[in-house]
Amino acid sequence: MDLQAIPGVGAKTADALGSLDDPEGALERGDVAAVAGAPGVSEGRAARIVRNAIRVRHDDPGGFLATDRAAEIHERVLGLLQERAVTEYARQRLRTFYPSAADSRIAEVNAFVADAMQRTPRDDVLEALAGVEPLSAPSGVSVRERCVATTDAETYSDAAAAFPELSVEIVGDARDLAELARGYTTVVALDEAFVGVEVEGDVRVEPDAMERPAEVVPERVLSFFAANRDRIRAAVSVHEAAGIDTDVDLDALDGALAHLEGDGSVAGDDELDRLTRAVNDLDAAVSDAESVANDRLREAIGEQDVTIEGADLLSLVERGAGVDSLLGRELADEYDDAVGAARDALEEQLGLRGEAAKLARRVFGDEPTFPVARDDDAMARVRESLTAARDRRAAERKRELAATLADLRAPTEALVHDALEVDVALAVARFAADFDCVLAERGGRGFRIEGGRNPLLDVAFAETEPVEYGVDGVALLSGVNSGGKTSTLDLVAVVVVLAHMGLPVPAEAARVPAIAELHYYAKSQGTLDAGAFEATLRDFASLTERVADDEGSEGSAASRLVLVDELESITEPGASAKIIAGILEALHEAGASGVFVSHLAGEIRDQCGFGVTVDGIHAAGLEDGELVVERSPVKDHLARSTPELIVEKLAEADGAVGEEFYERLLEKF
């Protein structure tokens, strides 16, 4: 896919998307999180890019939501869907569902929805989803004890790009390599020329190292899994709770994660733990060993009765000798025992063995001194030996664990993505269940809704009265104030928008026309000024002209659905009726479908040059000041107005004062 062919993706954004491992795959599967991983791309923008990529894939020109009110209806139903998602990923992913005229896109979503509606949103699955987030790539990973070396400048550049976590060094010969080995625990040489060269230290000649990054820098894999460990485990819980199959060996994954610390280090290795403790406890252990030696020697001295003859004392003084000489002559065995005890204590406390144990015995010298003192140089060599052994063991275990996890990375990424997609599916399932939804049919002229309920009303959905309504062509919808005309129009818009998104609609059954554009004009507030009135007329002129121009092309008669709420408020009532009648005539001649809500339905019908259908929301009357309304519009019925109902109520009242007056008024209706 040409990334710049996607609307809204310029050269800079295309370059950013190109940095992803598989940008085309991410766009194909609608993976908003993966697209948002591109530099400078937010989740909201990622959703727009994915949505536009879907349009390109289905050859969808867009423009279905032709008016602000139509776009508002889409945003509100989308909000209802998003409220039922647990993860932010699902909320953004749901933004990629949009109303379309492309049959292939609608069929694609229909298939997803049909599967989603078979799912049961169980509490344990939703609880597990709360811990799932898109996987993140940790930044700032740096390895100080290892480096890469090469003699070639071009190889140097490639290695620096391949191993940003390591220091990459230029060397001239084996002597330079040996010098590096003294400063690093491990040196990886990339040149074949070093094969067979013996250098002291851990120097590995691996010309193919750049092909095996997980072995050279196991920290890269380990830090990824460490940073995402909780998210991965939450995704595993989702799969287990929902009973979803996965390509991941969950036992192997769980076992590998159990050996990984939060900072990316390896856990559960006794030898590594021993060496780590030895390095950390060296200073304290040497101090303790010193105390052991000095306590032993002090006790031995206290128990000795040493007699020094005058000649011996004179000789010691003349030679400048001190107590050390005296210890060597009188307490040699006791000193050896004290130092031996110190060495044993040091070895035992640190669990030393091998080369480190040999070096540790030199920390306390054989020459008698009091108090017994450590040899700092010998102690530094012990520390160096233990640190090198620890780092080698850690690197070995890291390589082993990284090798296991590297093989699990791709299926684990799929595991987490699939868990997040479960949230998307469950949001649709919850929406369908909460609003008693079904998939609508598309096709034919006009629409038909059976048992539809508007989910946008400010009342509990269960308390919403179901509505049945259908229109073939254009129709006028009449009814009393607060009788439900606008909510009925909203219901039609909701059903049409959801059906063209491929999503289920809140009805027992529904059929909508396969349209390319939805024009929904909301009720204007008060009479418009001359400029706004002109703009409104131009809008309808453009609409009717485009419908007329398209007449004769396949599907053009039903290419647009027009919903209008009380257009008469644009100007004076008498003129409004004439203007609306003219608009209806143009739409009728083009074979378009639409519903115009109006209090002037009778006047408009009289002005129309064709037999326009007038439907009405029937009000039976007033009870305790409240309207009694049948919410489903009655076909071919001009509904009575609220004033007429009030006059009728007064006229029918027993013993009402002015009965003749009310009867006269009723005759006017």
Side-chain angles (χ1 to χ4, degrees):
M1 176 186 289
D2 179 6
L3 296 177
Q4 291 194 55
I6 300 172
V9 176
K12 185 176 179 180
T13 303
D15 288 342
L17 294 175
S19 68
L20 301 174
D21 290 339
D22 182 18
E24 291 83 3
L27 292 170
E28 179 74 23
R29 62 180 180 270
D31 192 340
V32 174
V35 175
V41 177
S42 65
E43 284 192 338
R45 190 174 180 211
R48 291 193 296 274
I49 291 172
V50 170
R51 189 166 59 242
N52 288 337
I54 292 170
R55 285 198 172 106
V56 170
R57 189 167 72 245
H58 291 280
D59 195 24
D60 180 358
F64 183 92
L65 302 170
T67 62
D68 291 343
R69 180 59 178 165
E72 181 185 347
I73 292 292
H74 171 245
E75 283 298 319
R76 292 186 67 185
V77 296
L78 185 62
L80 293 176
L81 275 163
Q82 290 177 309
E83 287 173 7
R84 283 152 180 80
V86 177
T87 64
E88 180 61 26
Y89 169 88
R91 285 186 281 274
Q92 293 299 333
R93 173 82 164 85
L94 287 166
R95 294 202 70 84
T96 67
F97 292 80
Y98 67 95
S100 169
D103 290 339
S104 59
R105 171 56 181 172
I106 295 172
E108 181 179 75
V109 180
N110 279 168
F112 173 82
V113 168
D115 176 69
M117 291 174 67
Q118 300 300 314
R119 296 176 183 267
T120 301
R122 296 205 317 271
D123 290 342
D124 56 345
V125 178
L126 298 176
E127 183 178 348
L129 278 169
V132 185
E133 295 181 46
L135 300 177
S136 62
S139 59
V141 178
S142 178
V143 182
R144 300 180 182 276
E145 70 271 11
R146 195 177 317 123
C147 78
V148 174
T150 179
T151 60
D152 181 67
E154 184 175 345
T155 303
Y156 171 88
S157 298
D158 293 341
F163 304 119
E165 305 90 346
L166 303 181
S167 174
V168 181
E169 306 286 349
I170 287 282
V171 294
D173 51 28
R175 182 163 44 189
D176 292 342
L177 201 61
E179 183 65 27
L180 275 181
R182 282 191 283 273
Y184 290 93
T185 302
T186 301
V187 177
V188 179
L190 301 178
D191 303 290
E192 291 186 3
F194 289 121
V195 174
V197 173
E198 293 187 5
V199 177
E200 185 177 350
D202 187 12
V203 176
R204 304 178 182 187
V205 182
E206 300 179 5
D208 62 343
M210 283 187 280
E211 300 173 11
R212 299 175 291 102
E215 295 181 26
V216 179
V217 194
E219 293 84 358
R220 184 183 300 174
V221 175
L222 299 182
S223 61
F224 171 81
F225 277 90
N228 294 292
R229 182 171 53 180
D230 292 342
R231 303 175 185 188
I232 293 169
R233 284 178 167 158
V236 170
S237 297
V238 170
H239 280 70
E240 291 175 341
I244 304 171
D245 293 333
T246 175
D247 293 333
V248 181
D249 184 336
L250 296 181
D251 290 336
L253 178 60
D254 185 65
L257 292 177
H259 286 89
L260 188 62
E261 296 284 10
D263 61 357
S265 59
V266 178
D269 183 79
D270 293 340
E271 177 62 10
L272 179 58
D273 291 344
R274 180 188 70 81
L275 291 168
T276 301
R277 283 194 303 270
V279 172
N280 294 339
D281 297 346
L282 179 60
D283 289 331
V286 169
S287 295
D288 290 345
E290 277 182 333
S291 297
V292 168
N294 286 316
D295 289 347
R296 285 278 192 102
L297 195 55
R298 187 175 291 108
E299 183 180 351
I301 293 172
E303 292 176 354
Q304 290 292 325
D305 185 10
V306 180
T307 301
I308 303 178
E309 295 181 0
D312 291 335
L313 179 60
L314 182 61
S315 176
L316 288 171
V317 172
E318 288 176 347
R319 293 202 309 268
V323 70
D324 294 349
S325 177
L326 181 61
L327 285 172
R329 192 185 73 181
E330 299 290 338
L331 298 171
D333 292 339
E334 288 79 358
Y335 179 83
D336 289 342
D337 289 343
V339 169
R343 291 167 175 169
D344 292 343
L346 180 60
E347 187 173 335
E348 181 179 355
Q349 185 171 342
L350 296 180
L352 300 179
R353 62 187 67 155
E355 181 66 22
K358 292 178 182 178
L359 292 172
R361 301 194 73 81
R362 301 175 188 171
V363 171
F364 301 108
D366 294 329
E367 291 297 322
T369 61
F370 186 81
V372 177
R374 72 189 70 179
D375 183 329
D376 288 336
D377 291 338
M379 186 172 168
R381 287 191 291 273
V382 173
R383 189 187 307 279
E384 183 179 329
S385 174
L386 288 172
T387 301
R390 178 201 63 189
D391 291 346
R392 283 194 298 271
R393 180 65 180 183
E396 178 185 346
R397 291 292 292 119
K398 284 180 179 179
R399 283 192 294 271
E400 292 172 358
L401 187 57
T404 299
L405 289 172
D407 292 337
L408 292 170
R409 178 160 180 169
T412 297
E413 288 174 340
L415 172 92
V416 175
H417 176 263
D418 290 347
L420 291 166
E421 285 294 304
V422 166
D423 191 23
V424 180
L426 289 182
V428 173
R430 295 168 78 185
F431 176 87
D434 290 348
F435 299 116
D436 296 332
C437 293
V438 297
L439 284 173
E441 297 179 21
R442 289 175 61 253
R445 188 175 185 225
F447 61 85
R448 178 70 189 170
I449 300 171
E450 299 178 16
R453 287 189 284 172
N454 184 356
L456 304 182
L457 297 178
D458 293 330
V459 297
F461 184 75
E463 299 174 8
T464 303
E465 295 182 34
V467 171
E468 294 193 12
Y469 189 41
V471 166
D472 181 8
V474 291
L476 287 162
L477 180 59
S478 61
V480 297
N481 289 330
S482 302
K485 300 185 300 298
T486 298
S487 64
T488 298
L489 213 59
D490 282 349
L491 172 63
V492 174
V494 166
V495 169
V496 170
V497 167
L498 284 170
H500 283 81
M501 293 172 76
L503 295 172
V505 304
E508 295 175 6
R511 179 191 59 77
V512 300
I515 59 173
E517 296 175 7
L518 172 63
H519 295 257
Y520 185 0
Y521 296 88
K523 184 187 306 184
S524 60
Q525 301 300 317
T527 302
L528 303 181
D529 60 30
F533 177 59
E534 287 184 14
T536 301
L537 290 182
R538 286 195 181 99
D539 195 10
F540 277 99
S542 174
L543 169 62
T544 54
E545 284 177 6
R546 284 186 289 124
V547 171
D549 289 343
D550 287 345
E551 190 174 8
S553 63
E554 184 179 352
S556 63
S559 63
R560 296 170 184 86
L561 177 65
V562 183
L563 305 176
V564 182
D565 194 2
E566 296 189 20
L567 186 62
E568 61 263 27
S569 62
I570 63 173
T571 187
E572 294 84 357
S576 294
K578 296 175 183 177
I579 291 168
I580 295 171
I583 295 172
L584 289 171
E585 289 171 356
L587 293 174
H588 171 71
E589 290 169 4
S593 299
V595 178
F596 280 58
V597 167
S598 178
H599 288 291
L600 302 176
E603 291 87 340
I604 296 169
R605 180 179 57 187
D606 294 341
Q607 293 288 340
C608 269
F610 71 102
V612 64
T613 299
V614 177
D615 302 325
I617 295 179
H618 176 65
L622 293 166
E623 287 186 6
D624 299 326
E626 297 291 333
L627 281 170
V628 179
V629 179
E630 295 176 7
R631 300 295 179 180
S632 295
V634 179
K635 298 300 295 180
D636 299 315
H637 170 71
L638 179 61
R640 292 180 295 172
S641 66
T642 303
E644 180 181 358
L645 290 171
I646 294 172
V647 173
E648 183 181 78
K649 177 183 178 181
L650 293 172
E652 293 176 353
D654 292 336
V657 177
E659 183 176 351
E660 283 187 26
F661 172 72
Y662 298 133
E663 292 291 347
R664 178 179 294 178
L665 292 181
L666 281 176
E667 291 175 1
K668 299 297 184 183
F669 286 100

